Amino acid sequence: MDRLRSHKAIFLLLLPVLLLLPVLVGCSIGDVRRPPPDRSSASPRPAPTVPAPSRAVGFDEVRQVRVAVDRRYDRPFVEFVDADHGYALFAACDGVPPGRGCTALLYATVDGGRSWQALRHPRPVAEDQQLYAVPGALVLLAEPYGWYTSTDGGASFVHTAGGEPAALVAARGRFQVVEGVGAVAEWDGAALRPLPAQPAVPGLNTVGHSGDLVVAAGARDGRPEAAVSRDAGRHWVSTPLPWRGDEVGVLRAVIAPDGGAWLVGERPDRTGFPALWRLVGGREWALVRAVGHPAQARSVAPLGAELVAVTSPDGVGVVAGGRYYRVDWPLTGELHLTVLGDGTILARGPDDVVVGTGWTANRRWVRVVLDEG
């Protein structure tokens, strides 16, 4: 009876999502960690199934704004901090890399891209120009002059030279892996200080945290490894991963908007569909199946409620309930998905910036366009 109630609860949780997702019936590629086929078997291989194309779906809104920028400028680099606040940097002209041949122009929005206001760039002429938008700060890199940080929406900037400014380091979270050292450190507001207790994770390369829960992950010789601390890094417990031997090149710890901890095992070629694990009960990793997934993936983003969004050359889909489903979001497979601090999805490609607001798979999609002229 308890098992029946458990299955019923899971079904009720996923029902709204499954009604939203148009299921692609047909090709079932299998488990993300599927072992090589048994060559000794005499069973014939099933004929491939041609995927059915998803229906065309338009954006809920297109926010297209013309700004006072000469037409020789290339498309800007646009970064959002949350659904409302974002910045745009025009710094490349005539296909030449940023900073080489044109003056940098800076814009900001506080209404999700409905309008844009010009800001004064503190160092508009430089050999290279970069923009980083993080919660509470706008950071510009103008090489070789250094960093310029604003904490008032671009009204004023503080110049620093040398390493990354504190606002950029702090934005990566309270716990981080120190590059070149392979140790977990805690940001104290001024510096990263290695923890007295370190996780026993070979090839450590990433940490994720939610409150006092800290997840450390890495991979060595193709094998994924992880450890968990439930007391802010004072003590660590190694947590074995269910694994069938498919190589993992990089293992990333990702915290979903609802606080759920995930591991994403990228393949050595960085294109194959990754292995996925979800932390259950705060101590054990459960392999997340994705039956029917495409062979490749460009980006993977846990959304909360045990859902994972995926872009691939085959389009856009969601992993839910152990299966991969195609979805009719107005996104192309070449877009890269990231989840902002407020749960908003930012989808970025060579020519598109799309903002998806809402929760889990139920999203409102807005395309943001800045036109020169």
Side-chain angles (χ1 to χ4, degrees), residues 13-60:
L13 174 65
L14 294 177
L15 180 58
V17 176
L18 298 181
L19 290 175
L20 177 67
L21 310 181
V23 179
L24 175 65
V25 179
C27 180
S28 178
I29 299 177
D31 186 351
V32 292
R33 301 176 298 106
R34 186 174 184 176
D38 183 2
R39 301 298 183 186
S40 65
S41 173
S43 300
R45 297 180 63 182
T49 303
V50 178
S54 60
R55 64 187 179 92
V57 177
F59 296 102
D60 295 288

Side-chain angles (χ1 to χ4, degrees), residues 212-233:
D212 286 343
L213 172 68
V214 189
V215 176
R220 176 173 292 176
D221 298 328
R223 183 181 183 88
E225 305 278 354
V228 170
S229 171
R230 297 181 61 83
D231 57 6

Side-chain angles (χ1 to χ4, degrees), residues 107-200:
Y107 286 82
T109 180
V110 295
D111 55 13
R114 295 180 181 87
S115 64
W116 293 85
Q117 296 76 43
L119 300 176
R120 184 189 67 83
H121 194 294
R123 180 68 72 166
V125 178
E127 296 178 7
D128 186 33
Q129 299 277 6
Q130 302 293 329
L131 178 151
Y132 305 87
V134 298
L138 166 63
V139 180
L140 303 175
L141 173 62
E143 293 181 320
Y145 303 106
W147 302 88
Y148 298 83
T149 302
S150 173
T151 57
D152 54 12
S156 62
F157 289 86
V158 174
H159 174 251
T160 56
E164 294 180 336
L168 201 55
V169 178
R172 297 196 181 100
R174 175 182 171 189
F175 298 97
Q176 303 177 32
V177 174
V178 181
E179 292 187 13
V181 179
V184 178
E186 184 176 9
W187 174 253
D188 65 2
L192 285 170
R193 304 190 184 282
L195 297 176
Q198 290 291 321

Side-chain angles (χ1 to χ4, degrees), residues 250-316:
V250 175
L251 188 65
R252 295 189 292 113
V254 181
I255 304 299
D258 61 358
W262 292 75
L263 296 176
V264 178
E266 298 179 359
R267 304 305 180 188
D269 62 4
R270 306 301 289 270
T271 63
F273 196 90
L276 299 170
W277 293 269
R278 180 175 59 85
L279 189 63
V280 179
R283 299 183 182 277
E284 296 183 350
W285 294 102
L287 172 70
V288 177
R289 294 171 58 84
V291 176
H293 68 74
Q296 296 182 335
R298 286 203 172 97
S299 64
V300 173
L303 302 180
E306 302 181 17
L307 305 179
V308 180
V310 180
T311 58
S312 77
D314 295 337
V316 185

